[in-house]
Amino acid sequence: MIQDMMTFGASVEEALELWVRLLRSAKEQIARLFTQKRVADSACSFLMF
């Protein structure tokens, strides 16, 4: 998806904004999978590295 934006001349800011939205969405989905908040937080932290 991001590569498509770059191919069609999207700005860096637009690509980064899309990336942030995708990460936030993934973190929300991960948080729903775990019953303990600390485990969900740990899994979400893994995405950032």
Side-chain angles (χ1 to χ4, degrees):
M1 184 180 268
I2 291 176
Q3 186 175 5
D4 292 339
M5 289 182 71
M6 296 301 224
T7 302
F8 295 111
S11 71
V12 172
E13 291 83 7
E14 290 171 327
L16 289 174
E17 182 178 326
L18 176 60
W19 182 248
V20 167
R21 280 188 277 152
L22 290 171
L23 277 176
R24 285 184 182 144
S25 175
K27 287 174 74 173
E28 289 173 7
Q29 292 174 13
I30 286 173
R32 288 186 230 138
L33 295 174
F34 299 101
T35 56
Q36 294 183 352
K37 184 178 181 334
R38 64 182 175 84
V39 177
D41 290 344
S42 178
C44 290
S45 293
F46 181 77
L47 284 177
M48 301 308 292
F49 296 105

